[in-house]
Amino acid sequence: MTVMDFPLLIFFAFLVMVVHGFPEDYHIHNSTRHHDYCVLGAGPAGLQMGYFLSKSQRDYIILERNSGPGSFFSIYPRHRKLISINKIYTGRQNREFNLRHDWNSLLSDRPDLLFQRVSQELYPDADSFPIYLSMYVKELGLKVQYGVDIGKIRASESESPRGRGYILVDQHGLDYTCSVLLVSTGMWDPQKVQFEGSDLVEGYESIPLNPEEYKDQAVLILGKGNSAFETAQSILGRASRIHLYSPSPVRLAWQTHYVGDLRAVNNELLDTYQLKSLDGLVEGGLEDIAIVKNGEDERKHSGRKKQRCSSGKKRRGQFYLTLAELLEHPDGKNSTKITAANLPVYHNDNFSLRQPYDRVIRCLGFRFNFSIFDGSARPPSSEVTRGRLPGLTAWYEGQGTPGLFVLGTASHSRDYRSSAGGFIHGFRYTVRAVHRVLEQRYHSNYWPSIKLSVSQLQSWLLRRVNEASGPYQMFGVLGDIILLRGSHCEYLEEFPIQALPQFSSLSGHRVSKHGLLVLILQYGLNPTDSLGPGRAESEWTRAWRSNFLHPVLYYYDTLPSEKDLRHRPAGWPLPRPKAVHHMVEDFLTEWDGPISHSQPLRRFLEHCLHTDLRAFYAESCFRFSLTNRKPPLFCRQGYLRKHGVVGNSHLWQHAREAGLMPSEQEYASPDVDPSFPDYLTRAGASVSSAINVDF
């Protein structure tokens, strides 16, 4: 071998390395396929998390199996109309307030990066959403890698301080490793129920979309959710009759306040049902039914057929619905061998679904794909959702899978049927909450907070209840936490209230001896007719009876424990507090009434803080400073620091007549409002003897 042969040998060795691959640990330590954060899925939740990770300059990658973001919306909903509200005109210029009525935009620091740039329809076309998400990715420069189909995920022990990581294997057998895995794959797998003849049923995911294909056909739809009614509505003018069948009665979103229930935009069939135009709804179990096909061997049983069809009408349909237990020769689950010859005689009488159908369509929604996780990384299924979604902690981490968080629609098990966490206008805020948890846990960055003097607290609370979109959309789930520190407080926004027992570890903040306040928005607990008389409460002394969405303040002198949370009263989002204050519901959702909203709120805060929070003009503060050793807090924190509003006779007169500003003589011994302590008692507040409510 000569010296000239060495370059050839080196080149040959390089080719061997390329052909046979690099050592496994090379990718882990040297390849760009290791990241601190892996985000699985480039849907709205994945991109929302990508924005927050990018903003905080973290090492992350978003992996997407398709060629563009939001691929779910390229297929679903099948009939291409979104039911998420895109209300562009609100009469306000306040961006935060407008997000209360914009259900499609993602959060960013770009005021113009809104969904209305691609659609101005109230219920937009579904094709608009991938366009918006592509725009979001491009304009924010998010790191998305397309064409990566992850088929297997397993946990691995890591040498990093975090102690555990995850390995993701794609369709080419390549590994992607990360310390934290953020799963935002959504729900793609159709929900199916196995019963006799279930293989004869068409799926929502594959039905033809041309209404002409249903012309003069009888159609049975399994399900009563939005996908079922969306399908029914699309063929309402062509099908001869449409029946919807499921175990539960239809639930209307405007009655339940749950946006996942049937929306009015899809419910035209309710008219044709209740006005007796051949369509209808029927309740019954799915596991016990059988779908029977009208086969050729029916001629062998012509005698039985004549008995069943005593009306003499010609049957055009191919499928019958019956109970599996009534079949003479059940052949087991999922069998096409069942024929109409096995149908029981009762189909001739008064059975609601005795007539045959030309089509049977399954519209039962979707479920989370657990199959990509091996035993070391698989989160448990949630009992609340009957196994359709993963079981999560209150901060959206998989139960038993540390470092694995679930985002977006699949995280809805935390607030299933009670809030909006399964929808974009809800989970954009829960994603932000998860990011704040990550920042505290892995980077020691405390949950963002604002320091306020207690004299500023009322104004800040009123601003939040009238503007904030996070607690408004994620009612009963995300709340503002006010840590009381004596003369000042720390204000934390949009903390997951079910995680209060872990507040210190998740946020980095500590609760002092002065306690804390929790601000949430919630609906009333009393059943009411949503459109009937007496559906609303207008008197502030009965604010605890409010039915519509309204702010509620909970005061705790110590942090609630896990036990407190488990034993909270039925229907309550939080444990019983020391004191609670309901701000009476408002038709305009504007809680700014001086008498109905501001004054009761001030008195509640004074009750919790043991402090006079009344506001005074500069002239009054001047007098108090000369005549009192300890002027009111408002004067100490405002006027004596060269802040204050100069009054005049007109303002004084208006304030007195409106009952907003007692005279300065009343400061030393303010009158007692007898209705207020009584209001606290009837609102369910447990007031300790150490707190004097006669302020």
Side-chain angles (χ1 to χ4, degrees), residues 394 476-481 495-501 518-520 565 573-574:
V477 176
L478 296 181
D480 291 356
I481 311 298
F495 186 85
I497 60 174
Q498 296 295 306
L500 266 184
V518 181
L519 170 66
I520 64 172
L565 203 60
L574 286 169

Side-chain angles (χ1 to χ4, degrees), residues 399-417:
Q399 295 173 351
T401 55
L404 186 155
F405 294 80
V406 179
L407 312 175
T409 301
S411 68
H412 195 31
S413 59
R414 286 304 315 176
D415 62 308
Y416 184 64
R417 296 197 50 77

Side-chain angles (χ1 to χ4, degrees), residues 22 24 69 131 141 198 210 260 446 505 579 586 598 603 606 608:
F22 292 91
E24 183 177 352
I131 297 173
S198 59
N210 185 359
Y446 286 10
S505 62
D586 187 81
S598 299
R603 295 195 171 193
E606 290 175 333
C608 298

